[in-house]
Amino acid sequence: MTDGVVQLKVPAIRQLYHWDCGLACSRMVLKYLHPVSEEEFQNACWELKLTESVWTIDLAYLMSHLGVRHQFCTQTLGVDKGYRNQSFYKKHFDTEEDRVNELFNKAESNGVVVKKRSVTMQDIQNHLAQGHVAIVLVNAVLLVCDLCSTPVKYCCFLPVGQKCFCRKPDYQGHFVVVCGFNLATNSVFYNNPAYSDRVCYTSVSNFEEARKSYGTDEDILFVYKES
């Protein structure tokens, strides 16, 4: 760490669909610290049945499956029933609730490390200062990059070519990889899988608002260099 600045060289990888931001983030993290072949990655996704609905607990299982040291911190062990009526969760809620709760219940026996706790910005900075990275669930509606001329429209999470005429949602879950910070400017660097050509940058206060928004459960998956 030099002069309170950490910027880890995590490759930016763009998501392919509207639903796979978590898998794109996992690819970035794995490329950075634990190279796995594309075949290994695809096999793991197939075995864990990671299809169009990927929760943070799924990403923790993916890391465990690939032998990567991790710790998943969240406010809710399982599914918060309050999300049933949120438009973002509505479509998959009933089928997903049992599946996700089951993953939480079996986490320990599958070597998946889950802790029910709140994480501070200081915790995140300490983690990054050691060269480790983290996948963070944010509300994309609130996260605003200071470097991108236009905010990422939540519509970019729709399938390619689909027009978006809907009203702005209150919550749009999106995964990003946090990869650095600058203490002097009180800012955070992160890779947004909506892009493959840049590192994004925002204030700590904006980042905190987006990651602590209702809907995220303050989910954060810490991933460690040594396994």
Side-chain angles (χ1 to χ4, degrees):
M1 182 158 109
T2 51
D3 308 329
V5 180
V6 166
Q7 193 168 357
L8 305 172
K9 293 193 177 347
V10 180
I13 296 175
R14 193 167 182 172
Q15 62 193 87
L16 302 173
Y17 312 101
H18 65 105
W19 57 268
D20 68 333
C21 54
L23 298 184
C25 287
S26 299
R27 277 193 161 95
M28 295 186 218
V29 164
L30 291 165
K31 250 198 156 119
Y32 168 71
L33 51 76
H34 186 94
V36 269
S37 70
E38 185 56 28
E39 193 183 1
E40 256 182 292
F41 185 82
Q42 292 294 358
N43 285 344
C45 290
W46 185 77
E47 281 173 42
L48 295 168
K49 300 183 176 58
L50 302 186
T51 52
E52 291 201 25
S53 184
V54 177
W55 295 57
T56 322
I57 186 75
D58 289 309
L59 303 182
Y61 267 78
L62 181 60
M63 293 303 156
S64 174
H65 195 85
L66 292 167
V68 178
R69 191 176 148 223
H70 64 281
Q71 184 181 84
F72 167 29
C73 299
T74 181
Q75 294 282 39
T76 312
L77 296 174
V79 176
D80 183 335
K81 288 194 180 295
Y83 297 161
R84 180 183 295 279
N85 299 317
Q86 271 202 311
S87 57
F88 179 77
Y89 286 107
K90 224 177 215 163
K91 188 174 150 202
H92 294 295
F93 195 89
D94 291 329
T95 49
E96 288 293 276
E97 187 180 15
D98 293 343
R99 182 185 79 81
V100 170
N101 285 337
E102 179 79 346
L103 288 175
F104 273 94
N105 293 338
K106 292 184 167 171
E108 202 178 335
S109 59
N110 281 290
V112 177
V113 184
V114 183
K115 296 268 190 294
K116 184 181 190 297
R117 73 178 186 98
S118 212
V119 171
T120 64
M121 200 60 221
Q122 182 75 57
D123 293 331
I124 296 172
Q125 289 167 341
N126 292 343
H127 182 74
L128 294 168
Q130 294 168 60
H132 308 311
V133 283
I135 298 175
V136 183
L137 180 60
V138 296
N139 182 349
V141 177
L142 298 176
L143 188 66
V144 182
C145 173
D146 295 347
L147 300 178
C148 299
S149 51
T150 53
V152 177
K153 296 271 191 298
Y154 58 93
C155 299
C156 79
F157 307 115
L158 285 176
V160 176
Q162 211 165 304
K163 289 279 190 293
C164 180
F165 302 110
C166 45
R167 65 182 182 80
K168 191 163 178 154
D170 305 319
Y171 175 75
Q172 179 69 42
H174 187 53
F175 289 107
V176 298
V177 176
V178 60
C179 55
F181 59 87
N182 184 327
L183 293 179
T185 56
N186 209 23
S187 49
V188 179
F189 299 109
Y190 63 95
N191 283 3
N192 183 341
Y195 298 115
S196 59
D197 61 347
R198 70 195 72 182
V199 175
C200 288
Y201 178 89
T202 190
S203 65
V204 164
S205 57
N206 175 249
F207 190 73
E208 289 287 78
E209 185 192 8
R211 81 177 181 91
K212 291 183 172 179
S213 165
Y214 182 71
T216 66
D217 283 330
E218 292 186 36
D219 280 7
I220 179 163
L221 179 60
F222 288 114
V223 192
Y224 300 84
K225 259 176 140 173
E226 72 286 355
S227 294

